[in-house]
Amino acid sequence: MPKIIPFRAVRPTRDKVSLIASRSYDTYTKAERKARLDNNPYSFLHIVNPGYKYHKELSGQERFQLVRNRYLEFKEEGVFIEEALPAFYVYKIVNRDNETFTGIIGAASVADYKNNYIKRHENTIQAREEVFKDYLKTTGFNAEAVLLTHPDFVPLNAIFEEVMRARAEYEFTTTYRDTHYLWPVTEERLVEKIKAIYADMPELYIADGHHRSSSSALLSDDLDAAETPGEAHKYFMTYIIPESHLRIHSFSRMITDLCGMDKDRFLIKLDSIFKIENRGEEYIQPSKVHHFSMYLEGDFYTLELRKQYRNFKNALEGLDAQILYDLVLKPLLKIQNPRQDARLAYGKGKNDMLGAKEKVDRGTYAVAFGLFPATVQQIKDISDEGLTMPPKSTFIQPKLRSGVTIYEFM
């Protein structure tokens, strides 16, 4: 039932794509951003940080307008080109661990998002939605696709194989040692097949990009109310991949203090909820659901949820991030709002407890918890029940680079 359509992407010329492609702005350290901006005149960071050329920090509408100005300059200078025909884009990433992610970039319907054919599992923050909506409205383009997923489907794999027999339009490797490939698909026979495959699916699920999709829906409402001509604003750019290609990692939780308790008192409180084992200096990352790791005052611990706490009434209650919040963060450590409490911070990645350990050892935080990653089925079940996860419940790969395909709607 979801309507996914091809679009005429604005994208870099083949010779410059590796120079333009960048990670999301906030994933760089200040030093990394400066190095790229100083040494690479083609980096997409020059577009999203337009004040750099004036040695000035910009914000709000002033920044948004200059983002548009820089973008138009890149187009005028021939750094970007526009696809001659509407296209889907087969996009493949092979990462440093030799994991492969393959999917299709296309445009998804805002109406399908509103009607829950594109299902969400995270709450969004209204202020962030409004800011990004204003950004989109001023700049007129989006360079970061929403990541959608669906069950594996053999006919789609056949299309991937057929398209990828040809030479890729793009093939470039990043400093993260991920290799990216892109094939535009404009042949009418294949375009219609792809549209039909998605139309036959009952729904798609948002894996990553809840704020982007929500902001696109707000923008569509604004432009509809203003009787804006055209259809482009009724869609948003997506990267759609089969479930088996998703990689889900967890975010650790780090808390600044034990809410007035000493170590022994805190462990006694936890003992009524978990079976606890002190593992000393042995690095522990949870190996299965409902098992947690904890680092406290120089020691790692394993925490296994006791059976009396496993009578879950819905899919959300069985999510480890929710369990930790309901049984530890809120009642014991008095974290009332995990989105805003300054005492709570998050790490991410496969071995994020190593970073958390260092921060606890430095005294920045008092305790850290590691979680087993959520599964695709958990995400789907929570979405299907109309529930939403706590913040930072999932860190999902793959991550596309900004500036490789750009969706214009104004």
Side-chain angles (χ1 to χ4, degrees):
M1 297 178 76
K3 185 178 182 181
I4 307 296
I5 63 171
F7 66 99
R8 295 173 59 197
V10 174
R11 56 184 181 83
T13 56
R14 189 202 294 255
D15 63 310
K16 294 186 177 64
V17 63
S18 62
L19 297 170
I20 289 170
S22 70
R23 304 197 310 269
S24 295
Y25 182 81
D26 59 2
T27 64
Y28 293 96
T29 66
K30 187 175 181 180
E32 286 175 331
R33 282 197 297 266
K34 184 177 187 304
R36 282 161 174 76
L37 289 164
D38 284 345
N39 298 304
N40 180 3
Y42 296 110
S43 173
F44 197 75
L45 294 176
H46 283 287
I47 292 176
V48 296
N49 185 16
Y52 191 77
K53 68 183 291 186
Y54 301 115
H55 308 288
K56 181 180 179 182
E57 291 289 334
L58 301 171
S59 61
Q61 286 297 323
E62 182 181 33
R63 173 177 169 259
F64 301 163
Q65 186 58 56
L66 284 178
V67 167
R68 179 162 180 79
N69 293 351
R70 295 291 87 73
Y71 172 65
L72 293 176
E73 286 173 7
F74 271 50
K75 289 183 71 176
E76 290 163 2
E77 292 167 3
V79 177
F80 286 133
I81 57 173
E82 186 171 1
E83 203 74 62
L85 297 170
F88 287 115
Y89 301 87
V90 172
Y91 200 107
K92 182 174 80 168
I93 303 171
V94 181
N95 70 13
R96 68 174 75 187
D97 298 320
N98 208 33
E99 296 173 315
T100 298
F101 312 94
T102 306
I104 289 179
I105 296 174
S109 166
V110 168
D112 287 342
Y113 171 80
K114 291 180 178 179
N115 292 326
N116 210 33
Y117 295 129
I118 296 174
K119 295 188 173 183
R120 66 211 82 172
H121 64 264
E122 284 187 6
N123 279 323
T124 51
I125 300 170
Q126 185 176 357
R128 284 184 61 190
E129 293 174 351
E130 292 289 343
V131 168
F132 193 60
K133 179 203 71 174
D134 292 342
Y135 171 87
L136 294 174
K137 195 171 187 177
T138 302
T139 63
F141 71 87
N142 191 3
E144 294 190 358
V146 174
L147 184 64
L148 302 180
T149 191
H150 57 80
D152 288 31
F153 193 58
V154 172
L156 197 54
N157 294 336
I159 289 176
F160 292 159
E161 291 174 5
E162 179 179 348
V163 171
M164 291 190 297
R165 290 190 196 111
R167 178 192 179 189
E169 175 67 13
Y170 296 154
E171 179 180 351
F172 64 96
T173 300
T174 71
T175 53
Y176 266 31
R177 291 181 289 169
D178 300 336
T179 302
H180 296 242
Y181 305 83
L182 178 138
W183 293 262
V185 180
T186 57
E187 183 183 343
E188 186 175 356
R189 172 183 62 87
L190 290 175
V191 166
E192 293 303 316
K193 271 189 178 182
I194 293 168
K195 289 166 65 175
I197 285 172
Y198 292 129
D200 284 343
M201 293 180 179
E203 67 266 313
L204 295 168
Y205 292 85
I206 298 176
D208 191 29
H210 286 78
H211 282 90
R212 276 167 274 155
S213 50
S214 180
S215 297
S216 295
L218 291 176
L219 176 67
S220 181
D221 289 343
D222 276 9
L223 296 181
D224 279 345
E227 299 183 350
T228 304
E231 294 288 314
H233 65 276
K234 301 179 189 295
Y235 294 84
F236 57 97
M237 185 168 64
T238 58
Y239 180 43
I240 312 170
I241 65 173
E243 290 173 5
S244 65
H245 290 226
L246 277 181
R247 297 295 179 268
I248 304 175
H249 305 292
S250 63
F251 285 83
S252 61
R253 270 73 172 144
M254 298 171 287
I255 300 89
T256 58
D257 61 83
L258 299 182
C259 204
M261 292 179 281
D262 62 18
K263 172 184 174 180
D264 292 337
R265 183 64 179 165
F266 185 53
L267 288 172
I268 289 170
K269 291 281 190 182
L270 291 177
D271 191 77
S272 64
I273 306 166
F274 304 99
K275 295 178 183 178
I276 303 176
E277 182 180 353
N278 187 329
R279 304 292 287 271
E281 296 181 358
E282 180 187 358
Y283 173 74
I284 299 296
Q285 192 79 13
S287 59
K288 57 184 176 180
V289 68
H290 307 332
H291 286 233
F292 302 80
S293 63
M294 181 177 72
Y295 186 70
L296 174 66
E297 293 190 10
D299 289 329
F300 277 99
Y301 297 80
T302 58
L303 309 178
E304 180 184 352
L305 186 67
R306 294 187 181 276
K307 289 183 179 179
Q308 71 252 37
Y309 290 101
R310 300 192 184 200
N311 298 316
F312 309 121
K313 299 182 181 67
N314 56 51
L316 180 61
E317 287 187 0
L319 183 73
D320 282 351
Q322 189 68 39
I323 290 169
L324 189 67
Y325 174 71
D326 287 340
L327 299 181
V328 179
L329 299 187
K330 184 177 180 180
L332 302 186
L333 298 176
K334 309 304 179 187
I335 303 291
Q336 300 298 323
N337 187 336
R339 294 182 181 279
Q340 298 179 352
D341 199 314
R343 296 169 55 231
L344 173 65
Y346 303 91
K348 65 176 182 287
K350 290 182 180 179
N351 299 305
D352 66 329
M353 280 297 284
L354 286 175
K357 174 188 181 298
E358 292 176 359
K359 292 174 182 177
V360 172
D361 287 341
R362 290 201 303 265
T364 307
Y365 299 97
V367 63
F369 295 93
L371 288 69
F372 188 72
T375 65
V376 173
Q377 191 59 51
Q378 283 181 303
I379 291 173
K380 291 170 64 176
D381 289 344
I382 290 168
S383 298
D384 289 344
E385 292 180 23
L387 303 171
T388 53
M389 295 181 175
K392 304 295 185 182
S393 291
T394 56
F395 175 74
I396 295 179
Q397 292 179 310
K399 302 289 186 187
L400 294 183
R401 293 289 168 129
S402 297
V404 178
T405 59
I406 297 171
Y407 182 75
E408 286 189 350
F409 40 81
M410 292 173 63

